[in-house]
Amino acid sequence: MSTTAKPPLKDVRRLLFGAFSGTALEWYDYFLYGTAAALVFNKLFFTDLSAAAGTLASFGTFAVGFVARPIGAAVFGHIGDRYGRKVSLIITVVMMGATTGCIGLLPSYDTIGIWAPALLTVLRFVQGISVGGEWSGAMLLTLEHTPKEKHGSYSSVPQLGSPVGTLMSSGAFALVGMLPDDAFYSWGWRLPFLAAFPLLGFALYLRVRIEESPVFRAMQEDAERNGPPPAPLVEAFRRTWGRMIVGIGAALLGVGGFFLMTTFIISYGTGELGIDKQTMLNATVVGAVVEIAVIIAGGRLADRIGSWKVCAIGAAVTMVAAFPAFWLVDTKQTPLVYLGVALGIGALSIPYGPIGAVVASLFPEEFRYSAVAMSYNLAGVLGGFVPLIAASVTGAAGGASWGAALLLVGVAACTVAGSIAAGTVLRRHGSLPSSDTLNAKVPA
C-alpha cells in the first residue's frame, strides 16, 4: 500500500504542534486527578473512612481510569482504523476536557453523601475511555506523516505532552496549594479542574486543523476498491496477539513507573514522611522539567542507535536508580527530595520518549490504531494499579520505602524484557517501516 508524497514542512510543524498540544491537555486533565487523589479526594469524597482507607479508596478510583482505557482503545481504535485518526482525536479531546471540568463542579461527600464518590468514579471512568484512544491516535498521526529515519525523535514530540501536562497540573495545584487549607479544600482545588473548559476550546481548534494521516487516506482508497477490511481489533488479536504482549511489556515502565514517581510519591511524602505538600508538588515540577530534557535526548539517541535499544537501556538505568531515588526522598531534606524525584522520573523517561516508535512498528497499518491502542492501554491497566500496590506494600512494610522501590525495579525489568523482545521481532521479520511513513506490511 503506497502513501502520498511527504507533506510540506509547515504542515508537519502544524501537525506536531497540534498533536503535542492536544496530548498535553489530555495529560493535564488526567494527571490533575492523580494529584487530587493524593491530596484532596481522600479528605473530601471518602470522609467516612480512616485516613489510610481513604487514601486506598482514592487511589482505587484513580485506578478505575486505567481499567476503562482498554474500552477506549477498542472504541477509538475502531474509529481510528475505519473512520480516521483525526476524527478519533477530536472526540477524545472533547470527552476529556468536558469530563475534567465537571469534576471541578462535583459536590463533596458532606453535601450529597455516597453520590459524591459514585459520580467521581463515573467521571474518572469516562476520562479513562478518552485517554484510551488519545495517545495512539496522536502517535500514529505523527509517525505516519514523518520520515522513518526520524521516527525516534518525532515520536518523542507527543510524549512531551506528558511532562508538560505534569507541569501544568502540578503547577496549578502548587499555586492553589498556597491558599490557606480551609480555602484550598473548600474551593481552591476546583480551579485547576475548571480551567479544562477554556483549554478545551484551544485544543479543539488545533485538532480540527490537523491533516488526516496519508496512511489512512491510502487505506480508504484500498477499501473503496476491495471493500472494508475485517474488524480491526479482532484481526489484531488474531494475527498479532504475541506482539501485543511484547508491546505491553515495553510500554509498562512509562506508565506504571511514572505514576509511582508522581502520584504515589506525593502521597508517600506527605502521608508517611510528613513532608509539606508544597515541597512534594514542587518536586514533581522539577521532575517534569528533567523529563522534558530526557525525552528529547532519548528521541534523538533513538534516531542513531534504534528505538528499542534506547527503551531497554532506559529501563535498565531505572532498575539501578530505583532504590537511590527513594532513599533521597526518605531524607526529608528538600533539595534531596527534589533530587530523588528528579532521578526517578528522569531515569524512566529515557524509554518513554521513543516507545511510540517501538510499539507502532510492530503492527500493520490496516489495524495499527487498534493494536497500538490496546497494547499501550493494557499496559496502562497494569500501570494504573501501581500506586495502589505501592501504597499497600508500603503500609505492610510499616511505612518503609523499600517495597515501593522494589516494585519500580520489577516494572522496569518488564520493560527491559519487552523492549529486547520487540527488537528481536523487528529484526526477525525485517518489519521496520520503509520509505517515508509507517506503511510496511508486517507479517503476522
PDB file of all heavy atoms in Angstrom, residues 30 58-67 69 124 252 255-257 259-260 263 376-390:
ATOM      1  N   TYR A  30      -5.773  14.431  32.903  1.00  0.00           N
ATOM      2  CA  TYR A  30      -5.647  13.110  33.513  1.00  0.00           C
ATOM      3  C   TYR A  30      -4.783  13.154  34.771  1.00  0.00           C
ATOM      4  O   TYR A  30      -5.090  12.519  35.781  1.00  0.00           O
ATOM      5  CB  TYR A  30      -5.047  12.152  32.488  1.00  0.00           C
ATOM      6  CG  TYR A  30      -5.406  10.708  32.705  1.00  0.00           C
ATOM      7  CD1 TYR A  30      -6.726  10.271  32.624  1.00  0.00           C
ATOM      8  CD2 TYR A  30      -4.426   9.758  32.965  1.00  0.00           C
ATOM      9  CE1 TYR A  30      -7.061   8.936  32.796  1.00  0.00           C
ATOM     10  CE2 TYR A  30      -4.756   8.418  33.144  1.00  0.00           C
ATOM     11  CZ  TYR A  30      -6.076   8.018  33.056  1.00  0.00           C
ATOM     12  OH  TYR A  30      -6.401   6.693  33.225  1.00  0.00           O
ATOM     13  N   SER A  58      -9.163   6.391  47.434  1.00  0.00           N
ATOM     14  CA  SER A  58      -8.879   7.446  46.460  1.00  0.00           C
ATOM     15  C   SER A  58      -8.033   6.918  45.324  1.00  0.00           C
ATOM     16  O   SER A  58      -8.309   7.186  44.140  1.00  0.00           O
ATOM     17  CB  SER A  58      -8.162   8.607  47.164  1.00  0.00           C
ATOM     18  OG  SER A  58      -7.933   9.674  46.275  1.00  0.00           O
ATOM     19  N   PHE A  59      -7.000   6.148  45.637  1.00  0.00           N
ATOM     20  CA  PHE A  59      -6.172   5.549  44.591  1.00  0.00           C
ATOM     21  C   PHE A  59      -6.947   4.477  43.829  1.00  0.00           C
ATOM     22  O   PHE A  59      -6.649   4.192  42.670  1.00  0.00           O
ATOM     23  CB  PHE A  59      -4.898   4.944  45.195  1.00  0.00           C
ATOM     24  CG  PHE A  59      -3.840   5.966  45.501  1.00  0.00           C
ATOM     25  CD1 PHE A  59      -2.997   5.804  46.593  1.00  0.00           C
ATOM     26  CD2 PHE A  59      -3.673   7.090  44.710  1.00  0.00           C
ATOM     27  CE1 PHE A  59      -2.010   6.749  46.879  1.00  0.00           C
ATOM     28  CE2 PHE A  59      -2.704   8.033  44.989  1.00  0.00           C
ATOM     29  CZ  PHE A  59      -1.872   7.875  46.073  1.00  0.00           C
ATOM     30  N   GLY A  60      -7.952   3.882  44.492  1.00  0.00           N
ATOM     31  CA  GLY A  60      -8.797   2.926  43.789  1.00  0.00           C
ATOM     32  C   GLY A  60      -9.588   3.591  42.665  1.00  0.00           C
ATOM     33  O   GLY A  60      -9.686   3.058  41.555  1.00  0.00           O
ATOM     34  N   THR A  61     -10.162   4.770  42.943  1.00  0.00           N
ATOM     35  CA  THR A  61     -10.858   5.499  41.878  1.00  0.00           C
ATOM     36  C   THR A  61      -9.877   5.969  40.814  1.00  0.00           C
ATOM     37  O   THR A  61     -10.223   6.054  39.630  1.00  0.00           O
ATOM     38  CB  THR A  61     -11.631   6.705  42.436  1.00  0.00           C
ATOM     39  OG1 THR A  61     -10.719   7.659  43.010  1.00  0.00           O
ATOM     40  CG2 THR A  61     -12.629   6.275  43.498  1.00  0.00           C
ATOM     41  N   PHE A  62      -8.653   6.288  41.222  1.00  0.00           N
ATOM     42  CA  PHE A  62      -7.606   6.642  40.259  1.00  0.00           C
ATOM     43  C   PHE A  62      -7.367   5.476  39.302  1.00  0.00           C
ATOM     44  O   PHE A  62      -7.259   5.656  38.090  1.00  0.00           O
ATOM     45  CB  PHE A  62      -6.321   6.974  41.029  1.00  0.00           C
ATOM     46  CG  PHE A  62      -5.130   7.268  40.164  1.00  0.00           C
ATOM     47  CD1 PHE A  62      -5.000   8.484  39.515  1.00  0.00           C
ATOM     48  CD2 PHE A  62      -4.116   6.333  40.012  1.00  0.00           C
ATOM     49  CE1 PHE A  62      -3.894   8.758  38.717  1.00  0.00           C
ATOM     50  CE2 PHE A  62      -3.012   6.591  39.217  1.00  0.00           C
ATOM     51  CZ  PHE A  62      -2.905   7.819  38.582  1.00  0.00           C
ATOM     52  N   ALA A  63      -7.321   4.265  39.838  1.00  0.00           N
ATOM     53  CA  ALA A  63      -7.081   3.082  39.007  1.00  0.00           C
ATOM     54  C   ALA A  63      -8.249   2.780  38.084  1.00  0.00           C
ATOM     55  O   ALA A  63      -8.069   2.176  37.020  1.00  0.00           O
ATOM     56  CB  ALA A  63      -6.786   1.878  39.902  1.00  0.00           C
ATOM     57  N   VAL A  64      -9.460   3.209  38.449  1.00  0.00           N
ATOM     58  CA  VAL A  64     -10.632   2.977  37.603  1.00  0.00           C
ATOM     59  C   VAL A  64     -10.421   3.558  36.209  1.00  0.00           C
ATOM     60  O   VAL A  64     -10.843   2.989  35.197  1.00  0.00           O
ATOM     61  CB  VAL A  64     -11.896   3.578  38.259  1.00  0.00           C
ATOM     62  CG1 VAL A  64     -13.026   3.741  37.245  1.00  0.00           C
ATOM     63  CG2 VAL A  64     -12.359   2.696  39.411  1.00  0.00           C
ATOM     64  N   GLY A  65      -9.756   4.712  36.141  1.00  0.00           N
ATOM     65  CA  GLY A  65      -9.480   5.325  34.847  1.00  0.00           C
ATOM     66  C   GLY A  65      -8.638   4.439  33.957  1.00  0.00           C
ATOM     67  O   GLY A  65      -8.802   4.442  32.728  1.00  0.00           O
ATOM     68  N   PHE A  66      -7.759   3.675  34.557  1.00  0.00           N
ATOM     69  CA  PHE A  66      -6.915   2.774  33.778  1.00  0.00           C
ATOM     70  C   PHE A  66      -7.671   1.528  33.353  1.00  0.00           C
ATOM     71  O   PHE A  66      -7.432   0.988  32.269  1.00  0.00           O
ATOM     72  CB  PHE A  66      -5.667   2.413  34.585  1.00  0.00           C
ATOM     73  CG  PHE A  66      -4.714   3.562  34.734  1.00  0.00           C
ATOM     74  CD1 PHE A  66      -4.849   4.454  35.781  1.00  0.00           C
ATOM     75  CD2 PHE A  66      -3.703   3.759  33.823  1.00  0.00           C
ATOM     76  CE1 PHE A  66      -3.982   5.516  35.912  1.00  0.00           C
ATOM     77  CE2 PHE A  66      -2.832   4.820  33.946  1.00  0.00           C
ATOM     78  CZ  PHE A  66      -2.968   5.705  34.990  1.00  0.00           C
ATOM     79  N   VAL A  67      -8.592   1.062  34.179  1.00  0.00           N
ATOM     80  CA  VAL A  67      -9.423  -0.071  33.799  1.00  0.00           C
ATOM     81  C   VAL A  67     -10.253   0.280  32.566  1.00  0.00           C
ATOM     82  O   VAL A  67     -10.502  -0.562  31.690  1.00  0.00           O
ATOM     83  CB  VAL A  67     -10.331  -0.489  34.966  1.00  0.00           C
ATOM     84  CG1 VAL A  67     -11.313  -1.568  34.541  1.00  0.00           C
ATOM     85  CG2 VAL A  67      -9.495  -0.982  36.148  1.00  0.00           C
ATOM     86  N   ARG A  69      -9.419   2.276  30.179  1.00  0.00           N
ATOM     87  CA  ARG A  69      -8.626   2.592  28.993  1.00  0.00           C
ATOM     88  C   ARG A  69      -8.717   1.547  27.879  1.00  0.00           C
ATOM     89  O   ARG A  69      -8.797   1.911  26.700  1.00  0.00           O
ATOM     90  CB  ARG A  69      -7.167   2.851  29.398  1.00  0.00           C
ATOM     91  CG  ARG A  69      -6.998   4.203  30.059  1.00  0.00           C
ATOM     92  CD  ARG A  69      -5.613   4.435  30.630  1.00  0.00           C
ATOM     93  NE  ARG A  69      -4.591   4.453  29.597  1.00  0.00           N
ATOM     94  CZ  ARG A  69      -3.354   4.899  29.812  1.00  0.00           C
ATOM     95  NH1 ARG A  69      -3.010   5.360  31.002  1.00  0.00           N
ATOM     96  NH2 ARG A  69      -2.468   4.882  28.843  1.00  0.00           N
ATOM     97  N   ARG A 124     -14.207   9.651  36.340  1.00  0.00           N
ATOM     98  CA  ARG A 124     -12.870   9.095  36.136  1.00  0.00           C
ATOM     99  C   ARG A 124     -12.897   7.993  35.080  1.00  0.00           C
ATOM    100  O   ARG A 124     -11.974   7.864  34.278  1.00  0.00           O
ATOM    101  CB  ARG A 124     -12.326   8.542  37.461  1.00  0.00           C
ATOM    102  CG  ARG A 124     -10.941   7.913  37.361  1.00  0.00           C
ATOM    103  CD  ARG A 124      -9.908   8.902  36.858  1.00  0.00           C
ATOM    104  NE  ARG A 124      -8.564   8.330  36.870  1.00  0.00           N
ATOM    105  CZ  ARG A 124      -7.485   8.958  36.430  1.00  0.00           C
ATOM    106  NH1 ARG A 124      -7.593  10.169  35.929  1.00  0.00           N
ATOM    107  NH2 ARG A 124      -6.306   8.379  36.473  1.00  0.00           N
ATOM    108  N   LEU A 252       5.256  -0.649  29.729  1.00  0.00           N
ATOM    109  CA  LEU A 252       4.810  -0.677  31.122  1.00  0.00           C
ATOM    110  C   LEU A 252       5.509   0.348  32.007  1.00  0.00           C
ATOM    111  O   LEU A 252       4.868   1.017  32.829  1.00  0.00           O
ATOM    112  CB  LEU A 252       5.008  -2.080  31.699  1.00  0.00           C
ATOM    113  CG  LEU A 252       4.446  -2.310  33.105  1.00  0.00           C
ATOM    114  CD1 LEU A 252       2.948  -2.055  33.142  1.00  0.00           C
ATOM    115  CD2 LEU A 252       4.749  -3.730  33.563  1.00  0.00           C
ATOM    116  N   VAL A 255       4.300   4.054  31.900  1.00  0.00           N
ATOM    117  CA  VAL A 255       3.007   4.326  32.524  1.00  0.00           C
ATOM    118  C   VAL A 255       3.082   4.063  34.030  1.00  0.00           C
ATOM    119  O   VAL A 255       2.905   4.968  34.842  1.00  0.00           O
ATOM    120  CB  VAL A 255       1.902   3.457  31.887  1.00  0.00           C
ATOM    121  CG1 VAL A 255       0.546   3.818  32.491  1.00  0.00           C
ATOM    122  CG2 VAL A 255       1.872   3.635  30.386  1.00  0.00           C
ATOM    123  N   GLY A 256       3.338   2.816  34.396  1.00  0.00           N
ATOM    124  CA  GLY A 256       3.336   2.448  35.804  1.00  0.00           C
ATOM    125  C   GLY A 256       4.420   3.133  36.610  1.00  0.00           C
ATOM    126  O   GLY A 256       4.179   3.614  37.726  1.00  0.00           O
ATOM    127  N   GLY A 257       5.638   3.186  36.063  1.00  0.00           N
ATOM    128  CA  GLY A 257       6.727   3.831  36.777  1.00  0.00           C
ATOM    129  C   GLY A 257       6.489   5.307  36.979  1.00  0.00           C
ATOM    130  O   GLY A 257       6.806   5.874  38.041  1.00  0.00           O
ATOM    131  N   PHE A 259       3.598   6.946  37.307  1.00  0.00           N
ATOM    132  CA  PHE A 259       2.635   7.226  38.365  1.00  0.00           C
ATOM    133  C   PHE A 259       3.170   6.824  39.741  1.00  0.00           C
ATOM    134  O   PHE A 259       2.733   7.376  40.753  1.00  0.00           O
ATOM    135  CB  PHE A 259       1.308   6.539  38.055  1.00  0.00           C
ATOM    136  CG  PHE A 259       0.530   7.225  36.971  1.00  0.00           C
ATOM    137  CD1 PHE A 259       0.387   6.656  35.723  1.00  0.00           C
ATOM    138  CD2 PHE A 259      -0.026   8.470  37.190  1.00  0.00           C
ATOM    139  CE1 PHE A 259      -0.308   7.297  34.724  1.00  0.00           C
ATOM    140  CE2 PHE A 259      -0.721   9.131  36.192  1.00  0.00           C
ATOM    141  CZ  PHE A 259      -0.868   8.541  34.957  1.00  0.00           C
ATOM    142  N   LEU A 260       4.095   5.909  39.772  1.00  0.00           N
ATOM    143  CA  LEU A 260       4.748   5.585  41.031  1.00  0.00           C
ATOM    144  C   LEU A 260       5.578   6.765  41.530  1.00  0.00           C
ATOM    145  O   LEU A 260       5.583   7.091  42.721  1.00  0.00           O
ATOM    146  CB  LEU A 260       5.643   4.349  40.860  1.00  0.00           C
ATOM    147  CG  LEU A 260       6.336   3.820  42.115  1.00  0.00           C
ATOM    148  CD1 LEU A 260       5.329   3.335  43.138  1.00  0.00           C
ATOM    149  CD2 LEU A 260       7.296   2.694  41.750  1.00  0.00           C
ATOM    150  N   THR A 263       2.226  10.324  41.382  1.00  0.00           N
ATOM    151  CA  THR A 263       1.041  10.174  42.230  1.00  0.00           C
ATOM    152  C   THR A 263       1.381   9.523  43.568  1.00  0.00           C
ATOM    153  O   THR A 263       1.044  10.053  44.630  1.00  0.00           O
ATOM    154  CB  THR A 263      -0.016   9.336  41.500  1.00  0.00           C
ATOM    155  OG1 THR A 263      -0.366   9.991  40.280  1.00  0.00           O
ATOM    156  CG2 THR A 263      -1.260   9.172  42.357  1.00  0.00           C
ATOM    157  N   TYR A 376      -0.911  -0.464  24.387  1.00  0.00           N
ATOM    158  CA  TYR A 376      -0.478   0.598  25.298  1.00  0.00           C
ATOM    159  C   TYR A 376      -1.432   0.713  26.489  1.00  0.00           C
ATOM    160  O   TYR A 376      -0.995   0.937  27.622  1.00  0.00           O
ATOM    161  CB  TYR A 376      -0.396   1.922  24.550  1.00  0.00           C
ATOM    162  CG  TYR A 376       0.311   3.003  25.326  1.00  0.00           C
ATOM    163  CD1 TYR A 376       1.705   3.020  25.418  1.00  0.00           C
ATOM    164  CD2 TYR A 376      -0.395   4.007  25.962  1.00  0.00           C
ATOM    165  CE1 TYR A 376       2.357   4.002  26.131  1.00  0.00           C
ATOM    166  CE2 TYR A 376       0.245   4.994  26.675  1.00  0.00           C
ATOM    167  CZ  TYR A 376       1.633   4.995  26.759  1.00  0.00           C
ATOM    168  OH  TYR A 376       2.273   5.981  27.470  1.00  0.00           O
ATOM    169  N   ASN A 377      -2.718   0.545  26.243  1.00  0.00           N
ATOM    170  CA  ASN A 377      -3.672   0.757  27.319  1.00  0.00           C
ATOM    171  C   ASN A 377      -3.843  -0.461  28.219  1.00  0.00           C
ATOM    172  O   ASN A 377      -4.247  -0.316  29.371  1.00  0.00           O
ATOM    173  CB  ASN A 377      -5.006   1.213  26.739  1.00  0.00           C
ATOM    174  CG  ASN A 377      -4.925   2.647  26.252  1.00  0.00           C
ATOM    175  OD1 ASN A 377      -4.811   3.573  27.052  1.00  0.00           O
ATOM    176  ND2 ASN A 377      -4.945   2.844  24.950  1.00  0.00           N
ATOM    177  N   LEU A 378      -3.528  -1.653  27.719  1.00  0.00           N
ATOM    178  CA  LEU A 378      -3.437  -2.780  28.635  1.00  0.00           C
ATOM    179  C   LEU A 378      -2.246  -2.604  29.578  1.00  0.00           C
ATOM    180  O   LEU A 378      -2.314  -2.970  30.757  1.00  0.00           O
ATOM    181  CB  LEU A 378      -3.333  -4.091  27.858  1.00  0.00           C
ATOM    182  CG  LEU A 378      -4.629  -4.557  27.181  1.00  0.00           C
ATOM    183  CD1 LEU A 378      -4.377  -5.806  26.338  1.00  0.00           C
ATOM    184  CD2 LEU A 378      -5.717  -4.829  28.219  1.00  0.00           C
ATOM    185  N   ALA A 379      -1.160  -2.021  29.059  1.00  0.00           N
ATOM    186  CA  ALA A 379      -0.058  -1.636  29.946  1.00  0.00           C
ATOM    187  C   ALA A 379      -0.542  -0.591  30.940  1.00  0.00           C
ATOM    188  O   ALA A 379      -0.140  -0.588  32.111  1.00  0.00           O
ATOM    189  CB  ALA A 379       1.110  -1.093  29.125  1.00  0.00           C
ATOM    190  N   GLY A 380      -1.440   0.291  30.473  1.00  0.00           N
ATOM    191  CA  GLY A 380      -1.997   1.301  31.355  1.00  0.00           C
ATOM    192  C   GLY A 380      -2.850   0.717  32.467  1.00  0.00           C
ATOM    193  O   GLY A 380      -2.868   1.237  33.584  1.00  0.00           O
ATOM    194  N   VAL A 381      -3.575  -0.364  32.170  1.00  0.00           N
ATOM    195  CA  VAL A 381      -4.361  -1.025  33.213  1.00  0.00           C
ATOM    196  C   VAL A 381      -3.446  -1.505  34.335  1.00  0.00           C
ATOM    197  O   VAL A 381      -3.691  -1.260  35.522  1.00  0.00           O
ATOM    198  CB  VAL A 381      -5.153  -2.219  32.639  1.00  0.00           C
ATOM    199  CG1 VAL A 381      -5.792  -3.034  33.757  1.00  0.00           C
ATOM    200  CG2 VAL A 381      -6.230  -1.728  31.684  1.00  0.00           C
ATOM    201  N   LEU A 382      -2.376  -2.186  33.940  1.00  0.00           N
ATOM    202  CA  LEU A 382      -1.418  -2.654  34.951  1.00  0.00           C
ATOM    203  C   LEU A 382      -0.763  -1.475  35.661  1.00  0.00           C
ATOM    204  O   LEU A 382      -0.629  -1.475  36.888  1.00  0.00           O
ATOM    205  CB  LEU A 382      -0.355  -3.529  34.272  1.00  0.00           C
ATOM    206  CG  LEU A 382      -0.865  -4.791  33.565  1.00  0.00           C
ATOM    207  CD1 LEU A 382       0.285  -5.497  32.852  1.00  0.00           C
ATOM    208  CD2 LEU A 382      -1.536  -5.718  34.549  1.00  0.00           C
ATOM    209  N   GLY A 383      -0.373  -0.462  34.890  1.00  0.00           N
ATOM    210  CA  GLY A 383       0.296   0.695  35.476  1.00  0.00           C
ATOM    211  C   GLY A 383      -0.593   1.497  36.401  1.00  0.00           C
ATOM    212  O   GLY A 383      -0.120   2.085  37.378  1.00  0.00           O
ATOM    213  N   GLY A 384      -1.894   1.517  36.111  1.00  0.00           N
ATOM    214  CA  GLY A 384      -2.804   2.280  36.948  1.00  0.00           C
ATOM    215  C   GLY A 384      -2.929   1.743  38.359  1.00  0.00           C
ATOM    216  O   GLY A 384      -3.280   2.487  39.287  1.00  0.00           O
ATOM    217  N   PHE A 385      -2.645   0.466  38.536  1.00  0.00           N
ATOM    218  CA  PHE A 385      -2.723  -0.119  39.869  1.00  0.00           C
ATOM    219  C   PHE A 385      -1.404  -0.011  40.642  1.00  0.00           C
ATOM    220  O   PHE A 385      -1.346  -0.387  41.810  1.00  0.00           O
ATOM    221  CB  PHE A 385      -3.150  -1.588  39.767  1.00  0.00           C
ATOM    222  CG  PHE A 385      -4.608  -1.765  39.481  1.00  0.00           C
ATOM    223  CD1 PHE A 385      -5.065  -1.950  38.183  1.00  0.00           C
ATOM    224  CD2 PHE A 385      -5.534  -1.719  40.515  1.00  0.00           C
ATOM    225  CE1 PHE A 385      -6.409  -2.100  37.921  1.00  0.00           C
ATOM    226  CE2 PHE A 385      -6.893  -1.867  40.258  1.00  0.00           C
ATOM    227  CZ  PHE A 385      -7.332  -2.056  38.956  1.00  0.00           C
ATOM    228  N   VAL A 386      -0.371   0.513  39.987  1.00  0.00           N
ATOM    229  CA  VAL A 386       0.919   0.607  40.659  1.00  0.00           C
ATOM    230  C   VAL A 386       0.868   1.486  41.912  1.00  0.00           C
ATOM    231  O   VAL A 386       1.398   1.096  42.966  1.00  0.00           O
ATOM    232  CB  VAL A 386       2.006   1.080  39.673  1.00  0.00           C
ATOM    233  CG1 VAL A 386       3.274   1.507  40.413  1.00  0.00           C
ATOM    234  CG2 VAL A 386       2.338  -0.040  38.687  1.00  0.00           C
ATOM    235  N   PRO A 387       0.259   2.708  41.870  1.00  0.00           N
ATOM    236  CA  PRO A 387       0.185   3.483  43.113  1.00  0.00           C
ATOM    237  C   PRO A 387      -0.568   2.755  44.222  1.00  0.00           C
ATOM    238  O   PRO A 387      -0.175   2.835  45.397  1.00  0.00           O
ATOM    239  CB  PRO A 387      -0.559   4.765  42.683  1.00  0.00           C
ATOM    240  CG  PRO A 387      -0.300   4.889  41.231  1.00  0.00           C
ATOM    241  CD  PRO A 387      -0.267   3.472  40.724  1.00  0.00           C
ATOM    242  N   LEU A 388      -1.638   2.053  43.866  1.00  0.00           N
ATOM    243  CA  LEU A 388      -2.402   1.303  44.864  1.00  0.00           C
ATOM    244  C   LEU A 388      -1.564   0.176  45.454  1.00  0.00           C
ATOM    245  O   LEU A 388      -1.543  -0.030  46.675  1.00  0.00           O
ATOM    246  CB  LEU A 388      -3.671   0.747  44.221  1.00  0.00           C
ATOM    247  CG  LEU A 388      -4.635  -0.016  45.130  1.00  0.00           C
ATOM    248  CD1 LEU A 388      -5.161   0.892  46.226  1.00  0.00           C
ATOM    249  CD2 LEU A 388      -5.793  -0.587  44.304  1.00  0.00           C
ATOM    250  N   ILE A 389      -0.852  -0.551  44.596  1.00  0.00           N
ATOM    251  CA  ILE A 389       0.021  -1.625  45.076  1.00  0.00           C
ATOM    252  C   ILE A 389       1.141  -1.057  45.943  1.00  0.00           C
ATOM    253  O   ILE A 389       1.476  -1.599  46.999  1.00  0.00           O
ATOM    254  CB  ILE A 389       0.601  -2.417  43.895  1.00  0.00           C
ATOM    255  CG1 ILE A 389      -0.513  -3.113  43.115  1.00  0.00           C
ATOM    256  CG2 ILE A 389       1.629  -3.444  44.370  1.00  0.00           C
ATOM    257  CD1 ILE A 389      -0.060  -3.727  41.813  1.00  0.00           C
ATOM    258  N   ALA A 390       1.718   0.065  45.488  1.00  0.00           N
ATOM    259  CA  ALA A 390       2.801   0.690  46.241  1.00  0.00           C
ATOM    260  C   ALA A 390       2.321   1.127  47.624  1.00  0.00           C
ATOM    261  O   ALA A 390       3.034   0.955  48.630  1.00  0.00           O
ATOM    262  CB  ALA A 390       3.364   1.883  45.472  1.00  0.00           C
TER     263      ALA A 390
END
